[in-house]
Structure formats: structure tokens, C-alpha cells
Amino acid sequence: MLKARLPAETPELPSVTPVWPGAELQEDEIWDLYGIKFDGHPFLRRILMWDGFNGHPMRKDWKEAFFEEEGKPFSSRWPEGHHAWAEDRVPWHGNVNYPDHFDPETWKEPVTFEAVQDEPGGNGNGRLHTQRIVVNMGPHHPSTHGVFRMVATLEGETIISLKPVMGYLHRNHEKIGERNTFIMNIPYTDRLDYLSSMSNNLGYVLAVEKLMGIKPPERAEYIRVIMAELTRVCSHLWSIGFLLNDLGAYFTPALYTIRERELILDLFEEASGARMLCNYMRFGGVTRDLPTGWLEKCNTVVFDRLPRAIDELERYLTNNEIILARCKGVGYLSAEDLVRYSVSGPMLRASGLQYDIRKVEPYSIYDRFDFEVPKFDGCDVYDRYRVRMFEVRQAVKIVQQALKQIPEGEIQTGKKAYQVRVPAGEAYARIEAPKGELGFYIVSDGKPNPYRYRVRAPSFINLNALEPMCIGYKIADSVIVLGAIDIVLGETDR
Amino acid sequence: MSNTEATITVEVPARWQDAVPGAVLSEDANSVVVAPESLVALCTYLRDHEGYDYLSNVTGVDYLNFKGRDASNRFEVVYHLYSTRGAVALLC
């Protein structure tokens, strides 16, 4: 861990993008939320907020419009029996306050473009007189899996450049997380990558447990692994189904995968009470034990149902002519470049690099299970699909082993508490979430609220590689390249 | 700083100092404090010679009115480096 300390007045730092181009989006984010300038950054812009937003919201002295108190739990809104109106607290009253030198009339967004421009050379391919056209995809476009925007410059149909624009779903998760108590953040992590809430829970509780210096009991460890791997199955199946949607096979293959996911969501519902936003893990354990009969149901799904379902999917999809034609060789980016762009997860493993945090830095009890890390080296959309398929099989294999080994016993270390004591210090924990490396960086000052709560969101950072993966391909390919990155906007925008 | 298992005092190898003189300002719990002007040089060295090829996380922290901090070091930018050829996190 490297740290650079900067003064309060005009904080500036040289950008590390020449060393690791993958720092681009994260440095944008720091500029946006903290107001720290990066010299030498290729395109420093407000990435999550818009330019008309006054201030840098992650600074501790920035207060939101309805600010009540520094940390929860808030005191009563009925002091001495009288209701205090939240509106009376709005510091801005009019609620519209632009930064200096900002005029909404003349403002142009940072990703600006001329809709049509003459190509500098004047003729494309040496034969035709061409013009460059800018095509804007999104924010409301079914291919973007949410509110995400791609601004692509085209020559003919070929992509010359492509800029991702995001932040439409931004709610400043990290600021709200600093206001919450430690335990209040567990359900809040569900809302990051809402398709894999169990993994998000796991990453967060591991980071806080690192600080607290506690470990969950055996049974809870096994339950966590089972839940995290079932989540991986869900997330990958969903991603495969929607990749097929992007390819034009509208919802028929997706429903085959969603059908299997439903069975797993049933299991989640029975154990945690919720299908998607599970809020299941706790510091030092899980919130409650598995209900009677759960393990038998899980056995049926994992031993009988899923392996056959995966076989069926593979039979229909893996050698499908249309998939081969559309996915093979598309979105190529070599392993070296992927590492430089800080890409993680299935995309990295589809480039021949067997980098899986469960293997290289085993957390929880992953060192006890026998599973393989896929090795495909096509670096293209097709291999990203195959890696996901492979990982679904391996995840099922891990759950099968865990179900055989799971012991009886306690599910919580110590007593359950509404308020936990987290000693001062800082910790970074990372897990191999379905989308890639999910990290939580927590700074505690010993108070009930985290001083800093940072989410290293794989969906956000993997987008660094979107432009280099799209350049030179057709505009129609950008849709499946994005689909194969597998982003969830709840996590991208936070 | 507390004495949890997450806290390990870092010792920077002397060759770092030789490679990029003056880059390492201090060795803190879990981390290395770097002089801003030598940041890029040190990062290049770490990537090319120490195997830290993967920049996992970059983030900021605002230590306003924090114990032991003043206006001269209010902000902090944190870099988490790893190697894809092994699990090595940066000295911790």
C-alpha cells in the first residue's frame, strides 16, 4: 500500500496513468469526489457528479442538503414532542447552487462532440471521401444493461474512439456508508452489485473482521462459501443469458438461465428472507442458521439439477454457429494490456492468465476445496463466455464439496450485537466476486461509524478497458463487448 | 494504531531507496508514505523491477480534524498494488 499525503490547499498529485492506464477512472473519481487534481491525466473530468455540482461531496466538510448529524443513529426528529422539519435544515434553500465560473446556459458536457465532422485526412481507406459520425448509445438503451452511456466516434461502422459516460445511478454510496454504523452497511452493500449480494456481504464483513481480529466459526465459514459460490452461479448464468440477449437471441436463452437462477434465489429466500438483497452475513458469522431441510433442497439443486442444466446450456450455446460468428475474435485485448488497465475477474482469466484471488490469496476457507481456475487464451468475447461457463461448473463443484463437509455447530462468534466495536486502524480485504476483484478499504477511528468506507468495484474499474477493446471493431460489436464485461450499474455508479 | 492482525509494520527494502532516492518518506503501519513528486518514478520502478504490475485500488481519504493530522497533510491518496504473478500485496 502506497500513500501520498497532500495539503488542504490545492491538493495536486502526478497521475500514475502513464504507469498504469487503469488508474484513469479511479483518478477521475478522486478528482470528482475529493477535488484532488492529477497532473498528466489524459482526460480529467467529473465522472460521477455533473459539472454543475458545487463542491466535492466526499470531503468531510461537505454537507448534503438535508444534513442532520455526522453519524447515525440520529437523535429524535421529535425533540420534546415537536416535529422538526427536514426542509428547515436545507442549507441552500433554493437548492440550486452552481460552482464558480459555471453558467448553465453556456455549459457543454465534457464528452462533447461535433455530430458530424470531416475526417482529417479527407478520405477513408484512401478511396472514399468520408465523414466521422458520433453515435450516442444510452443512457437509455437496452444494450447498456442500465443507465450507462457510450459515445462512439465512427468511420463507416468502425469505432475510432469510445468514451464511457456514467454516474446516472450515483447516490454517493461511500458518503452514506461513512454516516452509517458498521453494521448498517451490510444491507447497504447488497445494493452495489444487486445480482450478487451475498458476495458483497462477504467482502465487507471480511474487511471489518480483519480490523476486529475475529473469525467466524466453522459452520458459518461453510455457509458463507456455499452462499458466495451459489451467487457466482447466479451471476454468471445471468451474464450468459444477457450476452445472448445482446446478440439478438432475445430472452429465449436468457430464460433458460434465469430458470436455474430462480431455484438458487429460492434457497436464498429460505435462508435469509430475501431473494436478491439478502443481508445475510454478520461480523463473525451469519445472521441465522440454515432452516430445517435447507441442506436437502440445496443438495437436490446442486447435485441433480444444476449439472444437467449447465450441460444443456453448453449443448445449445457453446458451438452455436451464431455465437461463434459474433463472438470469436471480438473485443481482443491481450493479457498484458488487461493487467495494465486493472481489469480483473473472468475477463482476465479469458486471456490465459490464471489469476483468481481464491487461489493466489485464499480468504475464508477456499484453500480446502478442490477446484480449477480456467485457462482460456482467446482474449475475446467467446472465451469470456467460456470462462463463465467453466466457473459455473467449478462453483457447483465447490458447493458440492462444502455440502458434504459442513459441520454442525455455532454460526456466530461472540454475541449478536446491534453495535460492534471496531478498533481504530485500516484494512483492505478483497475477494473474487463474480464480476472480478471486489475490495473494501475501511478506515476506522474507533467510533461507531467507519471513518472511510471505500468500495473497489470491479464493474467500474473493468470499464477502463472498454475503449481499447472496442476500437477497430464495428459499432454492433461494442454491445457484446460491453455485455461480456458484465457490468452492473448499481456497482459502477455506486 | 491498534494491534489487530491487520496491522503489520512495514520495512522498506534498502534497494527501493537506492533506485528512487527520497521517494519513501516514512514507513507506517501497513503502508509506505511516498513523496508526491517521486510517486511516478517509484511506481515505475515497482512495476518494472519489483513485480507489482497490478494497480488494484486507488482512493482518497479526507483526514479533516483527524487525530495527528493538520492542514499540511489533510488529504491522502492510497494505492493498493499487487502482482499478477503471485499474491504479493505491497509488503502487507
Side-chain angles (χ1 to χ4, degrees), chain A residues 269-334:
Chain A
E269 185 177 16
E270 215 174 307
S272 73
R275 296 171 74 79
M276 276 175 78
L277 308 170
C278 296
N279 181 18
Y280 187 57
M281 304 199 186
R282 291 291 179 273
F283 308 127
V286 293
T287 174
R288 59 183 81 83
D289 205 348
L290 300 171
T292 334
W294 193 92
L295 286 171
E296 288 71 33
K297 279 183 196 153
C298 190
N299 269 321
T300 319
V301 170
V302 168
F303 283 95
D304 301 337
R305 174 87 193 198
L306 282 177
R308 281 190 292 155
I310 300 165
D311 286 341
E312 186 191 26
L313 272 177
E314 284 234 66
R315 195 165 65 243
Y316 292 144
L317 300 181
T318 303
N319 291 314
N320 183 303
E321 200 176 320
I322 298 169
I323 293 181
L324 288 173
R326 286 295 310 278
C327 297
K328 272 217 136 176
V330 172
Y332 178 88
L333 203 63
S334 69

Side-chain angles (χ1 to χ4, degrees), chain B residues 44-57:
Chain B
T44 313
Y45 166 74
L46 290 177
R47 182 194 64 182
D48 295 342
H49 300 283
E50 300 280 333
Y52 294 110
D53 56 351
Y54 189 75
L55 174 68
S56 159
N57 183 35

Side-chain angles (χ1 to χ4, degrees), chain A residues 1-6 8 13-14 19-20 26 34 60 211 342-344 360 424 428 437 451-452 454 456, chain B residues 2 4 28 32 34 36 47 53-60 62 69 71-72 74-77 79 82 87 90:
Chain A
M1 190 181 355
L2 296 182
K3 285 179 175 176
R5 293 188 175 150
L6 302 167
L13 199 62
V19 192
W20 293 288
Q26 301 193 74
Y34 280 98
K60 289 281 179 186
L211 268 177
S342 296
V343 173
S344 56
V360 295
Y428 182 64
E437 176 180 333
Y451 190 80
R452 175 78 172 104
R454 154 78 177 165
R456 190 247 187 239
Chain B
S2 64
T4 58
D28 199 358
V32 177
V34 179
R47 182 194 64 182
D53 56 351
Y54 189 75
L55 174 68
S56 159
N57 183 35
V58 188
T59 191
D62 179 3
R69 297 299 191 109
S72 70
R74 171 178 167 187
F75 291 106
E76 191 166 274
V77 179
Y79 301 83
Y82 290 90
L90 188 65

Side-chain angles (χ1 to χ4, degrees), chain A residues 210-267:
Chain A
K210 230 178 179 180
L211 268 177
M212 295 169 73
I214 56 170
K215 282 239 177 301
E218 279 289 283
R219 185 174 171 84
E221 293 269 30
Y222 276 94
I223 295 176
R224 283 180 179 188
V225 168
I226 292 172
M227 294 303 181
E229 291 308 310
L230 287 176
T231 302
R232 193 180 314 277
V233 175
C234 282
S235 173
H236 281 355
L237 286 179
W238 185 270
S239 150
I240 291 167
F242 276 76
L243 181 67
L244 268 290
N245 262 14
D246 291 344
L247 284 169
Y250 208 62
F251 266 107
T252 306
L255 283 172
Y256 274 72
T257 62
I258 292 171
R259 188 183 58 188
E260 306 310 316
R261 177 174 173 266
E262 284 298 302
L263 299 172
I264 295 173
L265 295 192
D266 286 344
L267 290 171

Side-chain angles (χ1 to χ4, degrees), chain A residues 454-483:
Chain A
R454 154 78 177 165
V455 186
R456 190 247 187 239
S459 299
F460 175 62
I461 293 165
N462 286 353
L463 283 174
N464 276 311
L466 179 64
E467 183 178 18
M469 284 197 299
C470 286
I471 286 177
Y473 294 96
K474 304 275 186 263
I475 180 78
D477 292 332
S478 70
V479 172
I480 57 168
V481 171
L482 183 72

Side-chain angles (χ1 to χ4, degrees), chain A residues 14-310:
Chain A
S15 166
V16 296
T17 44
V19 192
W20 293 288
E24 182 180 337
L25 292 183
Q26 301 193 74
E27 287 184 346
D28 275 337
E29 188 189 333
I30 298 172
W31 157 242
D32 191 356
L33 303 184
Y34 280 98
I36 296 172
K37 265 208 168 117
F38 290 91
D39 293 332
H41 186 285
F43 183 38
L44 199 64
R45 57 173 162 154
R46 302 206 72 157
I47 192 161
L48 297 173
M49 319 302 297
W50 75 303
D51 291 55
F53 186 86
N54 196 12
H56 299 284
M58 282 302 287
R59 289 187 173 193
K60 289 281 179 186
D61 50 6
W62 188 92
K63 312 286 187 212
E64 76 273 17
F66 294 95
F67 178 79
E68 290 183 43
E69 282 164 52
E70 284 299 338
K72 286 178 183 170
F74 294 149
S75 45
S76 170
R77 284 176 187 166
W78 291 81
E80 291 158 18
H82 302 291
H83 184 257
W85 292 98
E87 283 80 355
D88 293 338
R89 273 191 300 268
V90 181
W92 301 337
H93 292 285
N95 213 3
V96 178
N97 188 7
Y98 295 117
D100 296 341
H101 314 298
F102 180 86
D103 178 6
E105 297 300 320
T106 55
W107 176 71
K108 279 175 114 177
E109 56 178 335
V111 182
T112 48
F113 50 82
E114 301 283 320
V116 178
Q117 44 182 291
D118 268 321
E119 202 262 320
N123 56 349
N125 305 326
R127 295 190 300 276
L128 292 167
H129 178 78
T130 57
Q131 286 176 319
R132 287 187 176 175
I133 297 180
V134 171
V135 172
N136 176 56
M137 313 244 301
H140 292 286
H141 190 279
S143 76
T144 58
H145 298 219
V147 273
F148 177 73
R149 199 173 138 208
M150 298 188 280
V151 184
T153 310
L154 307 179
E155 210 171 285
E157 274 191 72
T158 309
I159 298 173
I160 304 293
S161 81
L162 185 146
K163 286 278 169 242
V165 184
M166 61 198 94
Y168 301 98
L169 218 59
H170 180 64
R171 65 265 191 201
N172 219 336
H173 184 98
E174 294 172 8
K175 182 86 173 181
I176 300 172
E178 289 175 5
R179 214 57 108 239
N180 285 344
T181 61
F182 279 96
I183 207 156
M184 282 177 185
N185 275 340
I186 299 175
Y188 202 42
T189 58
D190 291 340
R191 275 84 181 160
L192 285 166
D193 173 357
Y194 39 76
L195 297 176
S196 46
S197 61
M198 289 282 194
S199 296
N200 302 340
N201 284 181
L202 180 61
Y204 177 61
V205 297
L206 284 176
V208 177
E209 280 170 5
K210 230 178 179 180
L211 268 177
M212 295 169 73
I214 56 170
K215 282 239 177 301
E218 279 289 283
R219 185 174 171 84
E221 293 269 30
Y222 276 94
I223 295 176
R224 283 180 179 188
V225 168
I226 292 172
M227 294 303 181
E229 291 308 310
L230 287 176
T231 302
R232 193 180 314 277
V233 175
C234 282
S235 173
H236 281 355
L237 286 179
W238 185 270
S239 150
I240 291 167
F242 276 76
L243 181 67
L244 268 290
N245 262 14
D246 291 344
L247 284 169
Y250 208 62
F251 266 107
T252 306
L255 283 172
Y256 274 72
T257 62
I258 292 171
R259 188 183 58 188
E260 306 310 316
R261 177 174 173 266
E262 284 298 302
L263 299 172
I264 295 173
L265 295 192
D266 286 344
L267 290 171
F268 285 171
E269 185 177 16
E270 215 174 307
S272 73
R275 296 171 74 79
M276 276 175 78
L277 308 170
C278 296
N279 181 18
Y280 187 57
M281 304 199 186
R282 291 291 179 273
F283 308 127
V286 293
T287 174
R288 59 183 81 83
D289 205 348
L290 300 171
T292 334
W294 193 92
L295 286 171
E296 288 71 33
K297 279 183 196 153
C298 190
N299 269 321
T300 319
V301 170
V302 168
F303 283 95
D304 301 337
R305 174 87 193 198
L306 282 177
R308 281 190 292 155
I310 300 165

